Amino acid sequence: MAKILMVFGSTTGNTESIAHLIEKKLTNKGHEVNVLNAADAKPENLAQGYDAVLMGCSAWGEEEVEMQDDFATFFEGIDSMDLKGKKVAAFASGDREYPHFCGAVDVIVAKAEELGATIIADGLKLEGDGTSDDADIETFANDVMKAL
Ligand SMILES: Cc1cc2nc3c(=O)[nH]c(=O)nc-3n(C[C@H](O)[C@H](O)[C@H](O)COP(=O)(O)O)c2cc1C
């Protein structure tokens, strides 16, 4: 059984919903998942003691990627999270009408790599709250579990 940290930032609840759908897939297979809203999370040494870290964040920019507000604040301290050598993956809800669909996923992945993390699954990018995308969520969760 692995211990997994999930941190999400979500304004209208879509990324939060996806977080809980992923959580369910992981807990169904016996893993322990701690889901934190970025609004309530402090990044300092947060990743310590976890086998994997999953981060979810929606995007709110127009031409440029703007991270969801709570996650943006959390992200300012991501250097102190202790991601070096950690297994990491990212997910988001977004809207394909925007130039950077789920753009925060790519920002999180790039930063995690820069901090020495290993990316263990392709970023999960979905429209809406994830309830119509069970197959994609299953693939993401399986990729994460294969790497544990
Ligand atoms: C002003 C504005 C900017 C947005 N920018 C983006 C964007 O750059 N990329 C994207 O995929 N979605 C964008 N969206 C859509 C939201 O990210 C989308 O509704 C998402 O499901 C919200 O997720 P949340 O409820 O977890 O915050 C934008 C929406 C608004 C209103």
Side-chain angles (χ1 to χ4, degrees), residues 9-16 58-62 64-66 68 93-96 98-103 128:
S10 182
T11 298
T12 69
N14 285 337
T15 304
E16 178 170 15
S58 53
W60 290 89
E62 299 278 351
E64 299 202 346
V65 176
E66 277 177 36
Q68 189 273 346
S93 169
D95 185 335
R96 290 182 198 278
Y98 290 90
H100 302 285
F101 176 55
C102 292

Side-chain angles (χ1 to χ4, degrees), residues 36-100:
L36 296 180
N37 190 322
D40 308 318
K42 295 267 175 291
E44 288 77 25
N45 301 321
L46 189 60
Q48 277 179 12
Y50 290 97
D51 300 298
V53 178
L54 308 182
M55 289 181 271
C57 175
S58 53
W60 290 89
E62 299 278 351
E63 297 309 315
E64 299 202 346
V65 176
E66 277 177 36
M67 290 186 146
Q68 189 273 346
D69 282 348
D70 305 315
F71 199 92
T73 304
F74 176 84
F75 195 76
E76 284 172 16
I78 195 168
D79 290 21
S80 67
M81 231 183 136
D82 205 8
L83 287 180
K84 193 172 167 59
K86 287 284 170 201
K87 296 169 179 171
V88 168
F91 60 94
S93 169
D95 185 335
R96 290 182 198 278
E97 298 288 309
Y98 290 90
H100 302 285

